[in-house]
Each structure stands twice: as structure tokens, then as C-alpha cells.
Amino acid sequence: MPGTVLLLCLALGPVLRARCESTEEYDYDYLSINKTWVLTPKAQETDATQILNSLLKNYDNKLRPDIGIKPTFIDVDIYVNSIGPVSVIQMEYTIDIFFAQTWYDRRLRFNSTLKALTLNTNMVSRIWIPDTFFRNSKRADSHWITTPNQLLRIWNDGKVLYTLRLTIEAECLLQLQNFPMDTHSCPLVFSSYGYPREEIVYRWRRYSIEVSDQRTWRLYQFDFTGLRNTSEVLRTGAGEYMVMTVSFDLSRRMGYFAIQTYIPCILTVVLSWVSFWIKRDSTPARTSLGITTVLTMTTLSTISRKHLPRVSYITAMDLFVSVCFIFVFAALMEYATLNYLVGNKKPLEHNNRKARLPPASAQVMPSFTTININNIMHWPPEIEDDEDEDPGSPCLEGKECERFFCCIEDCQTGMWREGRVRIHISRLDSYSRVFFPTAFLLFNIVYWIAYLYL
């Protein structure tokens, strides 16, 4: 047995020795690679640390560069990450940007093989940075997750780049006279808080404003049509300040308001015209339809104002809803007028018939019996014509009726003066069937041309 174990050891010895040598060689190669990778930045780290210590040794971050010599020029770049949503009621919009400022500080020059030093936020508080603030911002937040979203980079020639990510809620004064076919220009205004133009000058660089993919923007009711950047000098009691402005042009989409307001208003007005084809004797049907359409227009008017601030002027939607309300109310008043005029003429007809009866002393004609032949009544012809007479034919008493309305049969003769308007009260529904649709169509043509193309 001991001899067998000895033979196995002698046989497996070379194999185990070869595997151990290959493992040691692999570990040695791994360690040598790690040594080379770690030692290379170690020298640069020591160099960067020495550079920063020498730069900050006598550096005063309370003083701007070139103080007392010349103004400091700040080059501004903005990358728009997203815009929206836009609040019409609060008259503000939200924008997410990367805001970059570049300037030269001769106190931060250094001689080294390193061209630039990229530093974290710990160095921001140790050097001078511009006191830029946004003049029309209501709220502004800097992003801090997972670390502060700030970048500080210093070049060997003293050039400094400072960027940070901001989410700003800025004011945008909306002019809503053409709502919802309106266009707006929402500005983002910034300047130095304390340094006047003699000390700090902001400058736009070429292509200094860029935007991201607009498909990720939350502009639900608007379309982004472009931007403009300008600069101006603001004169105040504390001095003249350089003010920079970026204006974002927005155009409102009409789809939501067409579905929610315009189409229901048009259909409600058309529905009110149905009463013109209902018999005038159907008082409950016509009255119910008119009141329902009026209440519907009142509700639509309230809903249309719900999404707007309480402005004192009339918007384009207010005008459209108001005119629709007038058409619906006029359709209800048309039936009320017709019912009143026709209803008041019946007693007059009865009195006229009484006046035509012969006196008691006069000779009375013997009574006759009407004979129906083939369901046609022929006798007496005078009574037949009188009973079937249109209730709208007799004219009402009063000058207004005689002046404007043709209520009598012989209005075509000399009793009716030529050149006067002739309106048959009994045909008022027929007139309305033509007048109301024509007037509403003309209004829509003028309205949409005026607000969309003029």
C-alpha cells in the first residue's frame, strides 16, 4: 500500500507542478497590470493636487477677476432639456435647462501637462463665480440627486466653465384676446444681481442655445415654433445692468377646445332650429326644446371660462359662445313672439264676427243645413271661407302692426303703402328657417377668417 501511494505521487508530480506554475504566472501578470494602471494616474493626481493647492493659496473668492482693470465678460450657453407644462391660469411655465457660464480668471492659470482640471462641487465655493439670477422666475430648483448636478472645469490658460442643471418656473404674461387661437412668447430673463455693466458683461455666443428632442416635452396644448435671444441694458437707480433674454415662441393647439366647446356650441345652436319645424300649437314641445338649449349654452359658457384666468377683456371663445347663446335665446323668443301675436288675434276675430251679425230688426235668413257630398262641404260658402280663414290674416290694432306687419288680406292694395316691409305673422317660422341658418353661417365665415388669417 505505501508503495502504491508513492508511485501515484511520482506520476502526478509534474502535472501539479505545471498547474501551480501557470497559476503563479497568471497572478503575477494580473498584479503587474494593476500596478501599471494604478501608478499612472497616481502621478497625475499628485500633480493636480499641487496645482489646486498653489492656485488657492492666495486666491480671494470675494473679488471678481480683473477687478479695477476691466469688466469680466461672461459667455452664456443654454441647453433646453424640456419645456412645459404651461399654466394658463397661473400665467407661468416650467423649463428644465443646463445653464453654462464661461469666463477667464488670470489667477487660475497654471503650468502643467494637464490641459484642464475637471472638478466637483466642492471647488465651487472656493473660487469666484458670477451672481447670475433669473429675473422672472417664481421658483427655481437645482438638482441634487444623486450628487449636485454641477460641473466646474478650469483650463491652464485661466478659462473657467461652470454649468448646472436648473428647473425654473418662470412668469409668462399671456395675452388671451385671441384665445384659443393665440400665440405667445414666453421669456427667460437673467442678469447679474449686484454687478453693473461696468463690471460684468454677459455675451451670447454663436449657437449658444440648443434644444433637445421636442417629443419629450410636456407642451400638451402648445406647439414650439422657435426661440429668440436678445440682450439689453436695464437702467435702474443702482446702475445699468446687462439683461439677457431668451424668448420661446409657442402656438396653441385648437383640438381640445374644438371638441370641448366649439362643436357642442354649434350643435346646440342647430338643435334650437328644430323648433321651427314643430307646429306652433305644440307649446310644451317647443318650450321644452328652447329652454333646454338655453341651459345647455349656459353650461358650455361656464365650462369654457373654467380653464381661463379672470381677465376683464373678451376672448375669441367668449365671443363665439356669446353669439351662440344669442342665437339659441333668439330661437326661444321667436316662438314666444309668434305665440303672443297669434294668440292675441283670436278675440279680435270673435269680436269682428259679432259685429257682422245682423241686428234683431233686420230680416233674418232662414237656416240651412250643410250637406256633405263625397266628404266635401260646399254650403254655405261664406261660412266655410270664414271658418277656414288663416288666424294670422286679421291685423292687430295699433300703429306698429299697421306700420311694419302685413296682417290683412288687402295689404297689396292702396290701403298698404308701397315700400313698407311686409311680414306675415303666420309665416314667421318659415322666415326663421332661412334667416337663422344663413345668419349663423355668415357669422362663422367672418369669425374664422378674422381670427385665423387676419
Side-chain angles (χ1 to χ4, degrees):
M1 188 68 179
T4 305
V5 172
L6 181 60
L7 291 175
L8 288 174
C9 291
L10 292 175
L12 296 175
V15 177
L16 294 175
R17 189 179 303 108
R19 292 192 62 181
C20 291
E21 289 177 357
S22 63
T23 302
E24 290 177 357
E25 182 179 358
Y26 173 78
D27 293 340
Y28 177 79
D29 294 339
Y30 176 77
L31 292 176
S32 63
I33 293 174
N34 278 348
K35 281 184 178 181
T36 305
W37 183 79
V38 172
L39 287 176
T40 301
K42 188 70 176 178
Q44 295 182 356
E45 180 181 351
T46 304
D47 190 13
T49 303
Q50 294 176 354
I51 293 172
L52 291 177
N53 290 336
S54 62
L55 292 177
L56 299 176
K57 184 176 182 181
N58 297 318
Y59 188 90
D60 189 355
N61 60 358
K62 298 186 294 296
L63 302 178
R64 68 171 181 85
D66 300 325
I67 184 171
I69 301 175
K70 62 179 181 179
T72 303
F73 293 92
I74 310 295
D75 296 325
V76 180
D77 295 277
I78 296 178
Y79 181 81
V80 181
N81 194 31
S82 66
I83 300 178
V86 179
S87 175
V88 179
I89 297 179
Q90 301 296 332
M91 289 197 177
E92 64 182 21
Y93 72 102
T94 304
I95 183 171
D96 186 0
I97 62 172
F98 293 95
F99 188 67
Q101 302 174 89
T102 305
W103 67 94
Y104 282 90
D105 192 343
R106 294 187 298 176
R107 298 171 294 178
L108 297 179
R109 294 177 179 176
F110 60 89
N111 294 322
S112 174
T113 56
L114 297 174
K115 298 296 182 181
L117 296 176
T118 302
L119 309 171
N120 60 11
T121 57
N122 295 328
M123 279 292 298
V124 174
S125 60
R126 305 187 66 178
I127 66 171
W128 180 90
I129 59 175
D131 60 342
T132 306
F133 82 109
F134 294 89
R135 306 183 72 92
N136 65 328
S137 66
K138 292 184 176 180
R139 289 168 295 275
D141 296 322
S142 179
H143 293 253
W144 297 88
I145 305 299
T146 57
T147 59
N149 297 172
Q150 298 177 353
L151 168 66
L152 181 64
R153 186 171 295 170
I154 302 175
W155 279 264
N156 55 4
D157 59 351
K159 180 181 177 181
V160 181
L161 171 65
Y162 174 57
T163 67
L164 69 163
R165 183 184 177 188
L166 298 172
T167 298
I168 303 171
E169 295 181 7
E171 292 181 346
C172 182
L173 299 179
L174 306 178
Q175 300 298 326
L176 302 173
Q177 285 86 352
N178 294 335
F179 175 86
M181 293 158 283
D182 48 346
T183 57
H184 303 283
S185 181
C186 294
L188 183 64
V189 186
F190 61 91
S191 67
S192 173
Y193 189 84
Y195 293 101
R197 185 178 61 167
E198 292 79 12
E199 298 191 41
I200 283 186
V201 176
Y202 288 92
R203 299 183 304 187
W204 293 111
R205 293 198 298 185
R206 190 177 183 183
Y207 308 112
S208 58
I209 302 178
E210 298 180 2
V211 296
S212 63
D213 188 3
Q214 301 177 20
R215 291 176 295 180
T216 61
W217 295 6
R218 296 177 296 168
L219 283 177
Y220 310 118
Q221 296 181 8
F222 293 90
D223 286 322
F224 177 73
T225 58
L227 57 86
R228 294 169 286 108
N229 56 327
T230 59
S231 59
E232 59 181 349
V233 177
L234 177 63
R235 293 176 175 83
T236 65
E240 297 180 353
Y241 293 86
M242 182 67 69
V243 178
M244 314 295 284
T245 304
V246 185
S247 299
F248 302 96
D249 297 330
L250 305 176
S251 176
R252 192 185 301 273
R253 302 173 184 170
M254 275 198 58
Y256 173 81
F257 302 98
I259 296 173
Q260 294 293 324
T261 303
Y262 282 96
I263 294 178
C265 286
I266 294 174
L267 294 180
T268 304
V269 173
V270 174
L271 180 62
S272 68
W273 301 339
V274 176
S275 62
F276 302 147
W277 280 266
I278 301 177
K279 295 182 179 180
R280 61 171 177 263
D281 297 335
S282 303
T283 302
R286 296 190 65 166
T287 305
S288 301
L289 180 60
I291 294 176
T292 301
T293 53
V294 169
L295 293 178
T296 302
M297 283 304 308
T298 304
T299 304
L300 292 174
S301 176
T302 304
I303 294 175
S304 66
R305 297 289 302 179
K306 184 178 179 181
H307 303 284
L308 291 176
R310 297 178 180 178
V311 295
S312 58
Y313 48 83
I314 298 177
T315 65
M317 180 178 288
D318 292 337
L319 177 61
F320 188 87
V321 174
S322 300
V323 172
C324 290
F325 183 85
I326 292 174
F327 271 92
V328 170
F329 188 76
L332 179 61
M333 289 296 101
E334 182 270 346
Y335 176 67
T337 303
L338 176 63
N339 190 53
Y340 173 77
L341 295 177
V342 173
N344 282 353
K345 285 182 287 188
K346 292 181 179 179
L348 183 60
E349 296 175 8
H350 183 68
N351 294 335
N352 292 337
R353 291 180 182 178
K354 284 185 177 181
R356 291 196 298 268
L357 291 177
S361 59
Q363 185 179 358
V364 179
M365 297 293 293
S367 59
F368 299 94
T369 303
T370 303
I371 301 175
N372 295 334
I373 301 177
N374 295 331
N375 296 329
I376 300 178
M377 187 178 296
H378 297 281
W379 184 267
E382 293 81 8
I383 299 176
E384 179 70 20
D385 295 338
D386 186 69
E387 290 180 355
D388 292 340
E389 187 179 18
D390 194 316
S393 59
C395 185
L396 295 176
E397 296 180 355
K399 297 181 180 179
E400 297 297 330
C401 180
E402 295 177 357
R403 184 179 302 173
F404 296 104
F405 299 100
C406 178
C407 305
I408 56 179
E409 294 180 357
D410 57 347
C411 62
Q412 304 288 345
T413 63
M415 294 181 60
W416 190 265
R417 297 181 182 179
E418 296 182 0
R420 290 185 177 180
V421 180
R422 300 169 182 176
I423 301 176
H424 294 270
I425 295 299
S426 60
R427 300 179 185 176
L428 190 57
D429 280 343
S430 300
Y431 299 150
S432 300
R433 294 170 190 171
V434 177
F435 173 77
F436 276 79
T438 304
F440 191 67
L441 178 61
L442 292 177
F443 164 72
N444 276 273
I445 293 174
V446 174
Y447 177 86
W448 294 111
I449 291 177
Y451 281 102
L452 291 178
Y453 301 103
L454 298 182

Coordinates of all heavy atoms in Angstrom, one line a residue, residues 368-431:
F368 N -129.9 77.0 -42.9 CA -129.7 76.0 -43.9 C -128.9 74.8 -43.2 O -128.2 75.0 -42.3 CB -128.9 76.5 -45.1 CG -129.6 77.7 -45.8 CD1 -129.4 79.0 -45.5 CD2 -130.6 77.4 -46.8 CE1 -130.0 80.0 -46.1 CE2 -131.2 78.4 -47.4 CZ -131.0 79.7 -47.1
T369 N -129.0 73.7 -43.8 CA -128.3 72.5 -43.4 C -127.3 72.2 -44.4 O -127.5 72.1 -45.6 CB -129.3 71.3 -43.2 OG1 -130.3 71.7 -42.3 CG2 -128.5 70.1 -42.7
T370 N -126.1 72.0 -43.9 CA -125.0 71.7 -44.8 C -125.0 70.2 -45.2 O -125.2 69.3 -44.4 CB -123.7 71.9 -44.1 OG1 -123.6 73.3 -43.7 CG2 -122.5 71.7 -45.0
I371 N -124.9 70.0 -46.5 CA -125.0 68.6 -47.0 C -123.6 68.2 -47.5 O -122.9 68.9 -48.2 CB -125.9 68.5 -48.2 CG1 -127.4 68.9 -47.7 CG2 -126.0 67.1 -48.7 CD1 -128.4 69.0 -48.8
N372 N -123.1 67.1 -46.9 CA -121.8 66.6 -47.3 C -121.9 65.6 -48.5 O -122.7 64.6 -48.4 CB -121.1 65.9 -46.2 CG -120.8 66.8 -45.0 OD1 -120.6 68.0 -45.3 ND2 -120.7 66.3 -43.8
I373 N -121.3 66.0 -49.6 CA -121.3 65.1 -50.7 C -119.8 64.7 -51.0 O -119.0 65.5 -51.3 CB -121.9 65.8 -52.0 CG1 -123.3 66.3 -51.7 CG2 -121.8 64.9 -53.2 CD1 -123.9 67.1 -52.8
N374 N -119.6 63.3 -50.9 CA -118.3 62.8 -51.1 C -117.3 63.5 -50.1 O -116.2 63.8 -50.5 CB -117.8 62.9 -52.5 CG -118.7 62.1 -53.5 OD1 -119.2 61.1 -53.1 ND2 -118.8 62.6 -54.7
N375 N -117.7 63.7 -48.9 CA -116.9 64.2 -47.8 C -116.4 65.6 -48.2 O -115.3 66.0 -47.7 CB -115.7 63.3 -47.5 CG -116.1 62.0 -47.0 OD1 -117.2 61.9 -46.3 ND2 -115.4 60.9 -47.3
I376 N -117.1 66.4 -49.0 CA -116.7 67.7 -49.4 C -117.8 68.7 -49.0 O -119.0 68.4 -49.3 CB -116.4 67.9 -50.9 CG1 -115.3 66.9 -51.3 CG2 -116.1 69.3 -51.2 CD1 -115.0 67.0 -52.7
M377 N -117.5 69.7 -48.2 CA -118.5 70.6 -47.7 C -118.6 71.8 -48.6 O -117.6 72.5 -48.8 CB -118.2 71.0 -46.3 CG -119.3 71.9 -45.6 SD -118.8 72.3 -43.9 CE -118.7 70.6 -43.2
H378 N -119.7 72.1 -49.2 CA -119.9 73.2 -50.2 C -120.8 74.3 -49.7 O -120.8 75.4 -50.4 CB -120.4 72.7 -51.5 CG -119.5 71.7 -52.2 ND1 -118.4 72.0 -52.9 CD2 -119.5 70.3 -52.2 CE1 -117.7 71.0 -53.4 NE2 -118.4 69.9 -52.9
W379 N -121.5 74.1 -48.7 CA -122.6 75.1 -48.4 C -122.5 75.4 -46.9 O -122.4 74.5 -46.1 CB -123.9 74.5 -48.8 CG -125.0 75.5 -48.5 CD1 -125.8 75.7 -47.4 CD2 -125.5 76.5 -49.5 NE1 -126.7 76.7 -47.6 CE2 -126.5 77.2 -48.8 CE3 -125.0 76.9 -50.7 CZ2 -127.2 78.3 -49.5 CZ3 -125.7 77.9 -51.3 CH2 -126.8 78.6 -50.7
P380 N -122.7 76.6 -46.4 CA -122.7 77.8 -47.2 C -121.3 78.3 -47.5 O -120.4 78.1 -46.6 CB -123.4 78.8 -46.3 CG -123.2 78.3 -45.0 CD -123.0 76.8 -45.1
P381 N -121.0 78.8 -48.6 CA -119.6 79.2 -49.0 C -119.0 80.3 -48.1 O -117.9 80.3 -47.8 CB -119.6 79.6 -50.4 CG -121.1 80.0 -50.7 CD -121.9 79.1 -49.7
E382 N -119.9 81.2 -47.7 CA -119.4 82.4 -46.8 C -118.9 81.9 -45.5 O -117.8 82.2 -45.0 CB -120.5 83.4 -46.6 CG -120.9 84.1 -47.9 CD -121.9 83.3 -48.7 OE1 -122.3 82.2 -48.1 OE2 -122.2 83.7 -49.8
I383 N -119.7 81.0 -44.9 CA -119.3 80.5 -43.5 C -118.0 79.6 -43.7 O -117.2 79.6 -42.9 CB -120.5 79.7 -42.9 CG1 -121.7 80.6 -42.7 CG2 -120.0 79.0 -41.6 CD1 -122.9 79.9 -42.2
E384 N -118.0 78.8 -44.8 CA -116.8 78.0 -45.0 C -115.5 78.8 -45.1 O -114.5 78.5 -44.5 CB -117.0 77.2 -46.2 CG -115.8 76.2 -46.6 CD -115.7 75.1 -45.7 OE1 -116.7 74.8 -44.9 OE2 -114.7 74.5 -45.6
D385 N -115.6 79.9 -45.9 CA -114.4 80.7 -46.0 C -114.0 81.4 -44.7 O -112.9 81.6 -44.4 CB -114.6 81.8 -47.1 CG -114.8 81.1 -48.5 OD1 -114.3 79.9 -48.6 OD2 -115.4 81.8 -49.4
D386 N -115.0 81.8 -44.0 CA -114.7 82.5 -42.7 C -114.1 81.6 -41.7 O -113.2 82.0 -40.9 CB -116.0 83.1 -42.2 CG -115.7 84.0 -41.0 OD1 -115.1 85.1 -41.1 OD2 -116.2 83.6 -39.9
E387 N -114.5 80.3 -41.6 CA -114.0 79.4 -40.6 C -112.6 78.9 -40.9 O -111.8 78.7 -40.1 CB -114.9 78.2 -40.5 CG -116.3 78.5 -39.8 CD -117.1 77.3 -39.7 OE1 -116.7 76.3 -40.2 OE2 -118.2 77.4 -39.1
D388 N -112.3 78.8 -42.2 CA -111.0 78.3 -42.6 C -110.0 79.5 -42.8 O -108.9 79.3 -43.3 CB -111.1 77.5 -43.9 CG -111.8 76.2 -43.7 OD1 -111.9 75.8 -42.6 OD2 -112.3 75.7 -44.7
E389 N -110.4 80.6 -42.5 CA -109.5 81.8 -42.7 C -108.3 81.7 -41.8 O -108.4 81.2 -40.6 CB -110.3 83.1 -42.3 CG -109.6 84.3 -42.7 CD -110.4 85.6 -42.3 OE1 -111.3 85.4 -41.6 OE2 -110.1 86.6 -42.8
D390 N -107.2 82.1 -42.3 CA -105.9 82.0 -41.5 C -106.0 82.9 -40.3 O -106.4 84.1 -40.4 CB -104.8 82.4 -42.4 CG -103.5 82.1 -41.8 OD1 -103.3 82.3 -40.5 OD2 -102.6 81.6 -42.5
P391 N -105.7 82.4 -39.1 CA -105.8 83.3 -37.9 C -104.9 84.4 -38.0 O -105.0 85.4 -37.2 CB -105.5 82.3 -36.8 CG -104.8 81.2 -37.4 CD -105.3 81.1 -38.8
G392 N -103.9 84.4 -38.9 CA -103.0 85.5 -38.9 C -103.4 86.6 -39.9 O -102.7 87.5 -40.0
S393 N -104.5 86.4 -40.6 CA -104.9 87.4 -41.6 C -105.4 88.7 -41.0 O -105.1 89.8 -41.5 CB -105.9 86.8 -42.5 OG -107.0 86.4 -41.8
P394 N -106.2 88.7 -39.9 CA -106.7 90.0 -39.4 C -105.5 90.7 -38.8 O -104.6 90.1 -38.2 CB -107.7 89.6 -38.3 CG -108.1 88.2 -38.6 CD -106.9 87.6 -39.3
C395 N -105.6 92.0 -38.9 CA -104.5 92.8 -38.4 C -104.8 93.3 -37.0 O -105.9 93.6 -36.6 CB -104.3 94.0 -39.3 SG -102.9 95.0 -38.8
L396 N -103.7 93.3 -36.2 CA -103.9 93.7 -34.8 C -104.1 95.2 -34.7 O -103.7 96.0 -35.6 CB -102.6 93.4 -34.0 CG -102.4 91.9 -33.8 CD1 -101.1 91.7 -33.0 CD2 -103.5 91.2 -33.0
E397 N -104.7 95.7 -33.7 CA -104.9 97.1 -33.5 C -103.6 97.7 -33.1 O -102.7 97.1 -32.4 CB -105.9 97.4 -32.4 CG -107.3 96.9 -32.8 CD -108.3 97.2 -31.7 OE1 -107.9 97.6 -30.6 OE2 -109.5 96.9 -31.9
G398 N -103.4 99.0 -33.5 CA -102.2 99.7 -33.1 C -101.4 100.1 -34.4 O -101.5 99.4 -35.4
K399 N -100.6 101.1 -34.2 CA -99.9 101.7 -35.3 C -98.7 100.8 -35.7 O -98.3 100.7 -36.9 CB -99.4 103.1 -35.0 CG -100.5 104.1 -34.7 CD -99.9 105.4 -34.4 CE -101.0 106.5 -34.2 NZ -100.4 107.8 -33.9
E400 N -98.1 100.1 -34.7 CA -96.9 99.3 -35.0 C -97.2 98.2 -36.0 O -96.5 97.9 -36.9 CB -96.3 98.7 -33.7 CG -95.8 99.7 -32.8 CD -94.7 100.5 -33.3 OE1 -93.9 100.0 -34.2 OE2 -94.5 101.7 -33.0
C401 N -98.4 97.5 -35.8 CA -98.7 96.4 -36.7 C -99.0 97.0 -38.1 O -98.6 96.4 -39.1 CB -100.0 95.7 -36.1 SG -100.5 94.3 -37.2
E402 N -99.8 98.1 -38.1 CA -100.1 98.7 -39.4 C -98.9 99.2 -40.1 O -98.9 99.3 -41.3 CB -101.1 99.8 -39.2 CG -102.5 99.3 -38.7 CD -103.4 100.5 -38.5 OE1 -103.0 101.6 -38.7 OE2 -104.6 100.2 -38.1
R403 N -97.8 99.5 -39.4 CA -96.7 100.1 -40.0 C -95.7 99.1 -40.5 O -95.1 99.3 -41.5 CB -96.0 101.0 -39.0 CG -94.8 101.8 -39.5 CD -94.2 102.7 -38.5 NE -95.2 103.6 -37.9 CZ -94.9 104.4 -36.9 NH1 -93.8 104.4 -36.3 NH2 -95.9 105.3 -36.5
F404 N -95.5 98.0 -39.8 CA -94.5 97.0 -40.1 C -95.0 95.7 -40.6 O -94.3 95.0 -41.3 CB -93.5 96.8 -38.9 CG -92.8 98.1 -38.5 CD1 -93.2 98.8 -37.4 CD2 -91.8 98.6 -39.3 CE1 -92.5 99.9 -37.0 CE2 -91.1 99.7 -38.9 CZ -91.5 100.4 -37.8
F405 N -96.1 95.3 -40.2 CA -96.6 93.9 -40.4 C -97.8 93.9 -41.4 O -98.7 94.7 -41.2 CB -96.9 93.2 -39.1 CG -95.8 93.0 -38.2 CD1 -95.7 93.9 -37.1 CD2 -94.8 92.1 -38.4 CE1 -94.6 93.8 -36.2 CE2 -93.8 92.0 -37.5 CZ -93.7 92.8 -36.4
C406 N -97.8 93.0 -42.3 CA -98.9 92.8 -43.2 C -99.8 91.8 -42.7 O -99.5 90.6 -42.8 CB -98.4 92.4 -44.6 SG -99.7 92.1 -45.8
C407 N -100.9 92.2 -42.0 CA -101.7 91.2 -41.3 C -103.1 91.1 -42.0 O -104.0 90.4 -41.5 CB -101.9 91.6 -39.9 SG -100.4 91.8 -39.0
I408 N -103.4 91.9 -43.0 CA -104.7 91.9 -43.7 C -104.5 91.5 -45.1 O -103.5 91.5 -45.7 CB -105.3 93.4 -43.6 CG1 -104.3 94.4 -44.3 CG2 -105.6 93.7 -42.2 CD1 -104.9 95.8 -44.3
E409 N -105.7 91.0 -45.7 CA -105.6 90.4 -47.0 C -105.3 91.5 -48.1 O -104.6 91.1 -49.0 CB -107.0 89.8 -47.3 CG -107.3 88.6 -46.4 CD -108.6 88.0 -46.7 OE1 -109.3 88.6 -47.6 OE2 -109.0 87.0 -46.1
D410 N -105.8 92.7 -47.9 CA -105.6 93.7 -49.0 C -104.4 94.6 -48.8 O -104.4 95.8 -49.1 CB -106.9 94.5 -49.2 CG -107.3 95.2 -47.9 OD1 -106.7 94.8 -46.8 OD2 -108.1 96.1 -47.9
C411 N -103.4 94.0 -48.2 CA -102.1 94.8 -48.0 C -101.5 95.1 -49.3 O -100.6 96.0 -49.4 CB -101.2 94.1 -47.0 SG -100.6 92.5 -47.6
Q412 N -101.8 94.4 -50.3 CA -101.2 94.6 -51.6 C -101.9 95.8 -52.3 O -101.4 96.3 -53.3 CB -101.4 93.4 -52.5 CG -100.8 92.1 -51.9 CD -99.3 92.1 -52.0 OE1 -98.7 93.0 -52.7 NE2 -98.6 91.3 -51.2
T413 N -103.1 96.2 -51.8 CA -103.9 97.3 -52.4 C -103.4 98.7 -51.9 O -102.4 98.8 -51.2 CB -105.4 97.1 -52.2 OG1 -105.6 97.1 -50.8 CG2 -105.8 95.7 -52.7
G414 N -104.3 99.7 -52.2 CA -103.9 101.0 -51.8 C -103.9 101.2 -50.3 O -103.3 102.2 -49.8
M415 N -104.6 100.4 -49.5 CA -104.5 100.6 -48.1 C -103.1 100.4 -47.5 O -102.8 100.9 -46.4 CB -105.5 99.6 -47.4 CG -107.0 99.9 -47.7 SD -108.0 98.7 -46.9 CE -107.7 99.1 -45.2
W416 N -102.3 99.6 -48.2 CA -101.0 99.4 -47.7 C -100.0 100.2 -48.6 O -100.0 100.1 -49.8 CB -100.6 97.9 -47.8 CG -99.3 97.6 -47.2 CD1 -98.1 97.5 -47.7 CD2 -99.1 97.3 -45.8 NE1 -97.1 97.2 -46.8 CE2 -97.8 97.1 -45.6 CE3 -100.0 97.2 -44.7 CZ2 -97.2 96.8 -44.3 CZ3 -99.5 96.9 -43.5 CH2 -98.1 96.7 -43.3
R417 N -99.3 101.1 -47.9 CA -98.4 102.0 -48.7 C -97.2 101.2 -49.3 O -96.7 100.3 -48.7 CB -97.8 103.1 -47.8 CG -98.9 104.0 -47.2 CD -98.3 105.0 -46.3 NE -99.3 105.9 -45.8 CZ -99.1 106.9 -44.9 NH1 -97.8 107.2 -44.6 NH2 -100.1 107.6 -44.4
E418 N -96.8 101.6 -50.4 CA -95.7 101.0 -51.1 C -94.4 101.3 -50.4 O -94.2 102.4 -49.9 CB -95.7 101.4 -52.6 CG -96.9 101.1 -53.4 CD -96.8 101.5 -54.8 OE1 -95.7 102.1 -55.1 OE2 -97.7 101.2 -55.6
G419 N -93.5 100.3 -50.5 CA -92.2 100.5 -49.9 C -92.1 100.0 -48.4 O -91.0 100.1 -47.8
R420 N -93.2 99.6 -47.8 CA -93.1 99.1 -46.4 C -92.8 97.6 -46.4 O -93.0 96.9 -47.3 CB -94.4 99.4 -45.7 CG -94.7 100.9 -45.5 CD -96.0 101.0 -44.7 NE -96.2 102.4 -44.4 CZ -97.2 102.9 -43.7 NH1 -98.1 102.0 -43.3 NH2 -97.4 104.2 -43.5
V421 N -92.2 97.2 -45.2 CA -91.9 95.8 -45.1 C -93.1 95.0 -44.8 O -94.0 95.4 -44.0 CB -90.9 95.6 -43.9 CG1 -90.5 94.2 -43.7 CG2 -89.6 96.5 -44.1
R422 N -93.2 93.9 -45.5 CA -94.4 93.1 -45.4 C -94.1 91.8 -44.8 O -93.3 91.0 -45.4 CB -95.1 92.9 -46.8 CG -95.5 94.2 -47.4 CD -95.9 94.0 -48.9 NE -96.3 95.3 -49.5 CZ -96.6 95.4 -50.8 NH1 -96.5 94.4 -51.6 NH2 -96.9 96.6 -51.2
I423 N -94.5 91.5 -43.6 CA -94.2 90.3 -42.9 C -95.5 89.6 -42.4 O -96.3 90.3 -41.7 CB -93.3 90.6 -41.6 CG1 -92.0 91.2 -42.1 CG2 -93.0 89.3 -40.9 CD1 -91.1 91.6 -40.9
H424 N -95.7 88.4 -42.9 CA -96.9 87.7 -42.4 C -96.5 87.0 -41.1 O -95.6 86.1 -41.1 CB -97.3 86.7 -43.5 CG -97.7 87.3 -44.8 ND1 -99.0 87.6 -45.0 CD2 -97.0 87.7 -45.9 CE1 -99.1 88.2 -46.2 NE2 -97.9 88.2 -46.8
I425 N -97.3 87.3 -40.1 CA -97.0 86.7 -38.8 C -97.1 85.2 -38.8 O -96.4 84.5 -38.2 CB -98.0 87.3 -37.7 CG1 -97.7 88.8 -37.6 CG2 -97.8 86.6 -36.4 CD1 -96.3 89.1 -37.1
S426 N -98.1 84.7 -39.6 CA -98.3 83.3 -39.6 C -97.2 82.5 -40.3 O -97.0 81.3 -40.2 CB -99.6 82.9 -40.4 OG -99.6 83.5 -41.7
R427 N -96.3 83.3 -41.1 CA -95.2 82.7 -41.7 C -93.9 82.9 -41.0 O -92.8 82.8 -41.6 CB -95.1 83.2 -43.2 CG -96.3 82.9 -44.0 CD -96.2 83.5 -45.4 NE -97.4 83.3 -46.2 CZ -97.5 83.8 -47.4 NH1 -96.5 84.5 -48.0 NH2 -98.7 83.6 -48.1
L428 N -93.9 83.3 -39.8 CA -92.7 83.7 -39.0 C -91.7 82.5 -38.9 O -90.5 82.6 -39.0 CB -93.0 84.2 -37.7 CG -91.9 84.8 -36.9 CD1 -91.2 86.0 -37.6 CD2 -92.4 85.3 -35.5
D429 N -92.3 81.3 -38.7 CA -91.5 80.1 -38.7 C -90.8 79.8 -40.0 O -89.6 79.4 -40.0 CB -92.3 78.9 -38.3 CG -92.6 78.8 -36.8 OD1 -91.8 79.5 -36.1 OD2 -93.5 78.1 -36.4
S430 N -91.5 80.1 -41.1 CA -90.8 79.9 -42.4 C -89.7 80.9 -42.6 O -88.7 80.5 -43.2 CB -91.9 80.1 -43.5 OG -92.9 79.1 -43.4
Y431 N -89.9 82.1 -42.2 CA -88.8 83.1 -42.3 C -87.6 82.7 -41.4 O -86.5 82.8 -41.9 CB -89.3 84.5 -41.9 CG -90.4 85.0 -42.7 CD1 -91.4 85.9 -42.2 CD2 -90.5 84.7 -44.1 CE1 -92.4 86.4 -42.9 CE2 -91.6 85.2 -44.8 CZ -92.5 86.1 -44.3 OH -93.5 86.6 -45.0

